[in-house]
Amino acid sequence: MTTTQNNMRVLKFGGTSVANADNIKKVINILEQYSQDKTVVVISALGGVTDLLIKTGTLAANKDEAYKEVLSELEKRHLDTVKALLPVTQQSSCLSKVKQQFNELDEICEGVYRLNELSPRTRDRIISFGELLSSQIVADYYAATNQPCEWLDVRKLIRTNNNFGFAAVDFDVTNQLIADKVNASTTKLFAAPGFVAANADGHTTTLGRGGSDYTAAIFAGALQAEALEIWTDVNGMMTADPRWVPNAKNIAEISYQEAMELSHFGAKVIYPPTIQPVMARQIPVWVKNTFAPQEYGTLIRNTPSVEGEFIRGISSMNNIALLSLEGSGMIGIPGFSKRLFEALAKEEINVILITQSSSEHAICVAINLADVEKAVKAVDLAFEPEIKAGKVDALKVERNLSIIALVGDQMKSHPGISGKMFGVLGRNGINVRAIAQGSSERNISAVISFNDAKKAVTVLHEAFFEFEYKNLNVAITGVGNVGGKLLDQLAQQQAYLQQHLKLKVKVVALANSRKMLLKEEGIALDNWKQELDNSADMQLDEFVAGVVARNLPNTVFVDVTANADVAQIYGKLLSKSISVVACNKIACSSPYNYYQQLKSLAAAYNALFLFETNVGAGLPVIGTLNDLLRSGDRINRMQAVLSGTLNFVFNNYDGTRPFAEVVRQAQAEGYTEPDPRLDLGGTDVMRKIMILAREAGEQLEMDDISNTQFLPASCFDGSVEDFYQEMGKQEAHFQKLYKEAADKGCKLKFVATFENGKASVGLQHIPPASDFYHLYGKDNIVLFYTQRYPEQPLVVKGAGAGADVTASGVFADIIRTARV
Ligand code: ADP
Ligand code: ASP
Ligand code: MG
């Protein structure tokens, strides 16, 4: 070989970097800094041109004359670019080169149109024009404004096989041709088209989509360049695809292997084969931003100096299919996998990931979706006898999958990474179809549904890279008293949560009974009323479907309504791993089966179902009960006063004012249900003690609870107004209730009790020594008598109603779902 070690550099500028005249000027500015040393500049087609050339060829092959329009637009774009770049006096030679290329392209396309056929060879010929044109324009512009620039015809320098569209390079021949050509020339700057090459017969081939990076690496390797620089439209390689993860961080340094793994699994910023020729010669690679050259970029080399990163990046690859070949008749029979891979290899199907179960009779491979039909045919044919004999099942195919990969050289020295990875995926309801870990332990990859891919990358990125904060996406139904207060509190606490809990709370959906609003980027909490008013009409199904379809990570659905329909949709949400926070009591006080079903769904899908405010508003009642049980305590008895309404009524009734009037006051002050009989008849208290009993493990229904009514039966007839009339008539009854208690020095309280599996509610005489005696206003109290608190109970006491405290209870549940 005639190559020499030198300070030559190879630079590659991608499609966006040369998309138009303004961008090309930026490229030339960058090149000016390289004018001292020999430099090869590899150029991509102007952004989007390759796609349009493919379109032209396909249209022509389909006998669609529209191909001509696409071609003439392409021609105009290139001519305009030349005119915008070169001084008028120097345009003509470049313009005529461009026109000549388009004449040639016209002829080829016309041939395709006539023949009604597009062979891979002709397709390569057509798409090569993108790079041929762009590189000539850059070369001429550089020569016109700076110093001489030699255009390299890569078809004479890069030799490949005949695999059109994805040709393999013959490095022995190529390295020699490149070195001879460049070393022999005295020119400093060379411009070369990327992506394009030729076979031994001189027919144009291409190196695969995104292949200009590879062209540059081939040059760098052949010339033993000092460095390869990939100039693109981002600041370097990032910890994840920035289009999916806006918080993706720049990677300052990365090893060749890591870069290779990330690009193999979808990090488009570098075309995967690029690393190989430079790694072989230990040539460092820089990834730099044409639009921000001052940024550091990414340095790819053998041993990155930036230590301490266990995970370097996350990438994902879409359009994947999973093939599973299974057969109990194959246990221990050698050659099973060999035959599978041979069948795939014969069809030139690239196997991206492989897993084999330990029983050795099931093997799973991930391939590109585009290869599925070919693969099924090939494998079914290869195993035909076994399939007929029932020893092997027909090949199973799953489509629309993605692979996500976690990459990092240091992973192997760090236990717990896959645990964390699958924990995060599981918590977010992402089902993993197959897993592979390379033997180098540089990569853990998982096959998941395409629908989950963005969410998976986002949550993994959050877990491994975003130490600043975690996003919590909140959907709220009900913006009345409590809902409104909740939004105020969320707005007020946003900064605090971000600073102290590293939580960024975003309200992404909001609805009341009339309107609904869904906004993935988050609803501004200082203007939600107006935005909601101007939004679409509420359709509960649509609202829920919208929340589910967005498939956002860490989502919590908050029900601040008292609506039975809303309570019916929790199951749908939980089974999508969306946590549910219910202020609405209906679900938990429905028949036990529904309550239990929701609990099981939450457990199965790793979501939380929280409803602290169902009992005692903002008081930590359910949370305390759960903590006691989880830490191994046993409940002996629970005794509670759980109705703010009844408390208010009995605290204010002393026989001097009619009972009915006191109830009216309670209603006027907003302490009662619209029909106060729900409170006064004890139903609301029954629901609450039932929820507590259920949480304590008892399978209790409303019918199982005994309720000693203090309202005469006649009060339950008729309308609410009839009820008030009847209470008026029954004043003597209420006076008697009061007097009996007062005579004993007792107060009246409506008490709920749960003991020995039985729950009861009813009015009781409370003596001054009781914990219940000093209970004022709308206070609630719960006494937990347990094994650890046998005589002196654990007491939870405080305001048990009110929008502010209820909202804060809901708020606390929301934060709990973030599991920070
Ligand atoms: P060029 O035209 O310069 O070759 P590409 O579009 O091929 O550019 O590659 C750059 C793009 O790759 C970026 O704009 C970015 O959207 C995407 N990309 C995907 N994954 C990553 C990643 N991990 N780091 C940086 N960019 C990435
Ligand atoms: N222009 C080619 C493509 O779009 C090659 C490249 O840009 O790297 O695939
Ligand atoms: Mg590219």
Side-chain angles (χ1 to χ4, degrees):
M1 232 158 60
T2 54
T3 53
T4 49
Q5 184 75 44
N6 53 40
N7 48 5
M8 186 180 301
R9 281 185 175 241
V10 179
L11 277 62
K12 175 256 170 178
F13 290 88
T16 324
S17 305
V18 293
N20 51 47
D22 282 345
N23 294 0
I24 293 175
K25 285 181 188 162
K26 294 196 170 79
V27 169
I28 300 299
N29 274 341
I30 292 166
L31 288 180
E32 275 163 5
Q33 292 155 30
Y34 294 81
S35 54
Q36 298 311 311
D37 301 314
K38 243 185 194 178
T39 305
V40 177
V41 184
V42 175
I43 305 289
S44 280
L46 310 195
V49 164
T50 311
D51 287 337
L52 289 171
L53 288 168
I54 292 172
K55 187 174 166 192
T56 314
T58 315
L59 286 172
N62 290 337
K63 281 242 169 272
D64 187 338
E65 295 225 10
Y67 85 86
K68 289 184 182 157
E69 273 164 52
V70 184
L71 266 189
S72 73
E73 266 182 38
L74 276 173
E75 181 169 5
K76 182 169 180 306
R77 179 169 166 197
H78 285 86
L79 292 173
D80 286 349
T81 307
V82 174
K83 288 179 199 156
L85 284 172
L86 287 157
V88 183
T89 48
Q90 294 172 52
Q91 281 173 8
S92 61
S93 121
C94 190
L95 287 176
S96 72
K97 264 190 256 177
V98 171
K99 281 182 189 153
Q100 196 191 324
Q101 300 270 23
F102 272 97
N103 287 343
E104 223 179 290
L105 187 52
D106 278 340
E107 275 171 27
I108 298 167
C109 291
E110 205 184 313
V112 171
Y113 180 81
R114 287 226 177 104
L115 290 172
N116 205 343
E117 181 205 294
L118 180 62
S119 69
R121 187 172 119 185
T122 309
R123 187 177 179 274
D124 265 4
R125 186 80 200 285
I126 292 175
I127 59 180
S128 71
F129 278 91
E131 269 68 8
L132 296 176
L133 285 156
S134 64
S135 56
Q136 267 162 357
I137 294 173
V138 171
D140 284 3
Y141 178 52
Y142 185 83
T145 50
N146 289 277
Q147 50 177 324
C149 172
E150 186 172 344
W151 183 78
L152 296 174
D153 188 348
V154 284
R155 291 165 297 191
K156 299 203 170 83
L157 300 177
I158 300 179
R159 175 71 53 80
T160 69
N161 67 4
N162 293 334
N163 192 11
F164 295 99
F166 198 70
V169 176
D170 177 340
F171 277 98
D172 287 339
V173 177
T174 302
N175 287 343
Q176 191 72 54
L177 289 170
I178 291 177
D180 288 351
K181 172 77 188 167
V182 175
N183 291 334
S185 171
T186 52
T187 315
K188 283 250 167 74
L189 193 95
F190 300 86
F195 184 49
V196 178
N199 67 10
D201 300 328
H203 292 302
T204 302
T205 56
T206 58
L207 302 173
R209 291 304 306 270
S212 297
D213 298 335
Y214 191 31
T215 305
I218 294 166
F219 269 96
L223 297 168
Q224 301 252 30
E226 180 188 51
L228 166 65
E229 298 180 11
I230 305 286
W231 288 81
T232 181
D233 56 1
V234 281
N235 283 348
M237 286 195 90
M238 301 187 140
T239 47
D241 187 336
R243 287 165 299 185
W244 274 8
V245 181
N247 289 332
K249 295 174 188 353
N250 219 66
I251 301 173
E253 289 202 22
I254 183 170
S255 74
Y256 290 119
Q257 284 88 354
E258 288 171 326
M260 208 140 66
E261 292 287 331
L262 279 178
S263 67
H264 174 74
F265 283 103
K268 188 187 173 222
V269 61
I270 288 191
Y271 181 55
T274 306
I275 303 296
Q276 195 277 326
V278 280
M279 183 169 78
R281 293 180 164 82
Q282 307 264 307
I283 297 168
V285 183
W286 282 94
V287 182
K288 296 277 294 178
N289 191 347
T290 304
F291 307 95
Q294 75 284 359
E295 294 291 334
Y296 183 78
T298 298
L299 173 59
I300 309 173
R301 60 171 168 173
N302 217 18
T303 37
S305 63
V306 183
E307 293 286 339
E309 310 271 2
F310 304 121
I311 304 295
R312 200 68 81 179
I314 302 165
S315 52
S316 69
M317 204 176 188
N318 301 325
N319 294 320
I320 296 293
L322 201 60
L323 310 179
S324 310
L325 191 65
E326 277 186 51
S328 48
M330 299 307 291
I331 299 176
I333 298 178
F336 179 59
S337 4
K338 176 170 172 268
R339 282 168 60 197
L340 171 65
F341 290 116
E342 267 175 5
L344 295 172
K346 240 185 12 226
E347 293 299 320
E348 295 189 338
I349 294 166
N350 183 23
V351 173
I352 303 164
L353 173 150
I354 307 163
T355 63
Q356 180 167 31
S357 70
S358 58
S359 64
E360 287 184 32
H361 65 272
I363 188 159
C364 233
V365 297
I367 62 169
N368 280 318
L369 196 58
D371 292 331
V372 164
E373 312 312 329
K374 265 196 310 188
V376 172
K377 252 196 218 150
V379 177
D380 280 349
L381 186 70
F383 287 90
E384 202 177 2
E386 284 88 352
I387 294 173
K388 275 200 177 133
K391 285 184 179 170
V392 171
D393 304 334
L395 190 66
K396 216 169 79 198
V397 182
E398 284 168 87
R399 294 178 165 80
N400 296 326
L401 300 173
S402 294
I403 298 178
I404 43 166
L406 216 59
V407 172
D409 282 342
Q410 306 299 319
M411 237 154 60
K412 55 178 171 290
S413 56
H414 229 264
I417 289 182
S418 55
K420 183 168 172 184
M421 173 176 179
F422 295 109
V424 167
L425 294 178
R427 262 204 301 288
N428 283 282
I430 297 164
N431 189 27
V432 174
R433 290 289 310 109
I435 299 170
Q437 177 167 28
S439 57
S440 59
E441 289 189 51
R442 185 173 288 123
N443 164 345
I444 310 172
S445 25
V447 181
I448 59 170
S449 159
F450 167 70
N451 292 333
D452 288 329
K454 183 175 175 189
K455 178 166 151 186
V457 173
T458 311
V459 291
L460 288 174
H461 195 269
E462 224 170 59
F464 286 100
F465 292 102
E466 290 174 36
F467 307 114
E468 293 99 88
Y469 58 79
K470 173 173 175 178
N471 283 304
L472 184 64
N473 295 300
V474 186
I476 301 176
T477 39
V479 290
N481 263 347
V482 177
K485 284 277 188 268
L486 174 65
L487 286 162
D488 290 348
Q489 292 177 5
L490 284 172
Q492 190 208 321
Q493 282 304 93
Q494 258 173 339
Y496 176 92
L497 292 174
Q498 195 159 338
Q499 192 189 344
H500 295 277
L501 292 187
K502 313 280 179 226
L503 254 195
K504 189 165 181 183
V505 178
K506 264 198 290 183
V507 177
V508 292
L510 201 56
N512 58 17
S513 54
R514 295 177 302 107
K515 295 283 181 183
M516 61 178 193
L517 174 61
L518 285 130
K519 210 168 168 188
E520 198 168 321
E521 63 276 22
I523 296 161
L525 294 185
D526 51 1
N527 190 34
W528 63 266
K529 274 192 191 124
Q530 203 180 343
E531 251 194 282
L532 185 61
D533 274 347
N534 295 333
S535 59
D537 287 344
M538 172 62 165
Q539 291 284 341
L540 182 61
D541 285 347
E542 240 176 73
F543 183 69
V544 172
V547 172
V548 170
R550 277 166 181 76
N551 203 6
L552 297 171
N554 313 316
T555 306
V556 49
F557 183 90
V558 185
D559 178 5
V560 216
T561 71
N563 185 299
D565 293 337
V566 180
Q568 279 307 311
I569 46 119
Y570 300 169
K572 204 180 215 169
L573 294 154
L574 291 168
S575 60
K576 296 284 178 198
S577 297
I578 295 174
S579 291
V580 173
V581 168
C583 181
N584 186 347
K585 272 193 269 293
I586 295 176
C588 288
S589 52
S590 299
Y592 184 81
N593 271 349
Y594 185 54
Y595 159 86
Q596 190 47 49
Q597 187 198 340
L598 296 177
K599 290 236 147 189
S600 310
L601 282 173
Y605 291 94
N606 240 312
L608 290 179
F609 174 39
L610 301 175
F611 39 86
E612 177 62 88
T613 49
N614 279 194
V615 181
L619 294 180
V621 178
I622 295 175
T624 303
L625 173 58
N626 284 328
D627 286 347
L628 289 172
L629 295 170
R630 284 172 196 156
S631 64
D633 205 352
R634 292 276 168 278
I635 303 293
N636 297 335
R637 179 156 48 106
M638 291 186 279
Q639 247 186 326
V641 172
L642 294 169
S643 167
T645 318
L646 286 169
N647 241 1
F648 179 89
V649 170
F650 289 111
N651 279 337
N652 285 285
Y653 181 65
D654 58 4
T656 54
R657 257 194 322 153
F659 190 77
E661 209 176 281
V662 179
V663 176
R664 261 195 215 280
Q665 188 193 344
Q667 180 156 31
E669 293 191 15
Y671 295 142
T672 70
E673 299 283 334
D675 184 343
R677 282 172 290 194
L678 273 180
D679 300 304
L680 272 76
T683 309
D684 185 56
V685 176
M686 284 165 77
R687 284 180 180 165
K688 290 174 178 167
I689 193 72
M690 179 173 74
I691 294 171
L692 287 182
R694 285 177 172 180
E695 285 292 289
E698 198 64 37
Q699 205 168 326
L700 208 70
E701 302 286 1
M702 285 294 267
D703 290 347
D704 301 330
I705 303 172
S706 75
N707 178 358
T708 322
Q709 296 280 352
F710 68 88
L711 280 182
S714 55
C715 288
F716 288 96
D717 299 334
S719 66
V720 171
E721 205 33 56
D722 296 336
F723 160 62
Y724 278 111
Q725 297 299 329
E726 187 58 26
M727 269 196 294
K729 288 185 204 149
Q730 300 282 351
E731 179 57 24
H733 164 76
F734 297 112
Q735 295 225 350
K736 186 164 163 253
L737 286 178
Y738 175 77
K739 194 161 175 318
E740 277 173 5
D743 285 350
K744 287 196 271 171
C746 291
K747 286 187 180 174
L748 285 170
K749 298 281 171 202
F750 196 80
V751 177
T753 310
F754 174 75
E755 190 170 11
N756 294 330
K758 300 244 169 321
S760 58
V761 302
L763 207 56
Q764 291 186 8
H765 292 172
I766 304 297
S770 165
D771 286 306
F772 292 166
Y773 192 85
H774 295 286
L775 202 58
Y776 304 105
K778 46 191 192 261
D779 276 4
N780 278 196
I781 184 167
V782 184
L783 312 181
F784 293 105
Y785 292 90
T786 72
Q787 270 174 14
R788 292 184 193 140
Y789 297 87
E791 266 119 43
Q792 291 305 313
L794 188 158
V795 181
V796 181
K797 179 180 168 184
D804 248 329
V805 289
T806 310
S808 72
V810 174
F811 194 146
D813 271 352
I814 293 175
I815 301 305
R816 240 164 246 138
T817 67
R819 295 177 256 216
V820 281

